[in-house]
Amino acid sequence: MIPRTEWEVVVHDTITELAAGATTVALYGPGHPRAQEAVNELEKHLATLHRSDPELTMVLLGDELFVQGRPFTRTSRQAPALIRRFRRRGLEHVTFKPGVPADQLRLFLIELATTEEIPLKSRSHIQVGKVELAEHDLGGPDGKEGGKGKGRLPSVRDRVTLVQEAFDTY
């Protein structure tokens, strides 16, 4: 499946630049001209996407990469490479806010490319972290209302349900 709408094409290009930029930084360092080109292209693509969306959110659930709630694993050839980097870094979501500056994109690519066990940092225009599921929408592991107190961890079934609902929507 290939991207069909203009928005999907720009998202695909953004995923491609994130994956290629992180690979370039890992292989050649952040000073390489291709790394700078990736930062420039990311800045351009994000500015285009922010014209229609106040924030751009990427979420990794299992083996699926969602952008703004839409699955992109099968529509973007570079999604698996980005998923591997996200997974290796323990990253489940990233939100890019409007006006993200080049220096924050460059630092994000450096952190995404590193093999060290240093957690990625949120910045003013790039928020990173783990997926948090709303307690009120989810039952306990056996489908009952149990386990809803503070600190309740989402079960694998909770995540599968969210993925299925996303696919049913699109």
Side-chain angles (χ1 to χ4, degrees):
M1 186 182 293
I2 58 172
R4 292 176 280 221
T5 67
E6 182 180 338
W7 182 86
E8 289 173 330
V9 169
V10 178
V11 168
H12 166 75
D13 292 346
T14 302
I15 291 169
T16 299
E17 288 303 328
L18 283 168
T23 299
T24 299
V25 168
L27 292 174
Y28 306 111
H32 192 275
R34 177 61 186 104
Q36 184 56 47
E37 181 183 328
V39 169
N40 294 341
E41 289 298 311
L42 280 170
E43 206 172 19
K44 182 177 80 174
H45 296 319
L46 289 170
T48 300
L49 293 168
H50 284 134
R51 282 187 228 141
S52 61
D53 291 310
E55 296 180 337
L56 182 77
T57 301
M58 296 182 169
V59 175
L60 178 61
L61 287 175
D63 292 332
E64 296 295 332
L65 179 66
F66 294 86
V67 180
Q68 300 300 86
R70 296 183 193 178
F72 269 84
T73 306
R74 291 182 183 93
T75 60
S76 176
R77 285 184 340 159
Q78 296 302 320
L82 189 60
I83 289 169
R84 282 190 300 276
R85 288 203 180 274
F86 277 18
R87 194 173 287 129
R88 184 173 49 223
R89 298 312 317 269
L91 188 64
E92 292 182 346
H93 81 77
V94 124
T95 300
F96 296 96
K97 296 183 178 184
V100 62
D103 63 324
Q104 286 188 23
L105 290 169
R106 186 176 302 102
L107 289 171
F108 179 73
L109 290 178
I110 291 168
E111 289 179 355
L112 196 58
T114 189
T115 57
E116 297 176 25
E117 294 295 322
I118 302 168
L120 275 79
K121 297 176 187 167
S122 289
R123 293 176 167 76
S124 60
H125 290 82
I126 303 175
Q127 301 296 307
V128 299
K130 298 272 187 187
V131 173
E132 296 178 16
L133 302 176
E135 291 181 11
H136 64 281
D137 293 334
L138 306 172
D142 60 359
K144 297 181 181 173
E145 290 293 314
K148 283 190 165 193
K150 275 225 184 262
R152 176 189 176 282
L153 296 175
S155 70
V156 171
R157 197 179 99 249
D158 296 335
R159 289 181 179 206
V160 170
T161 300
L162 286 176
V163 170
Q164 182 60 47
E165 288 171 357
F167 277 111
D168 290 345
T169 303
Y170 296 99

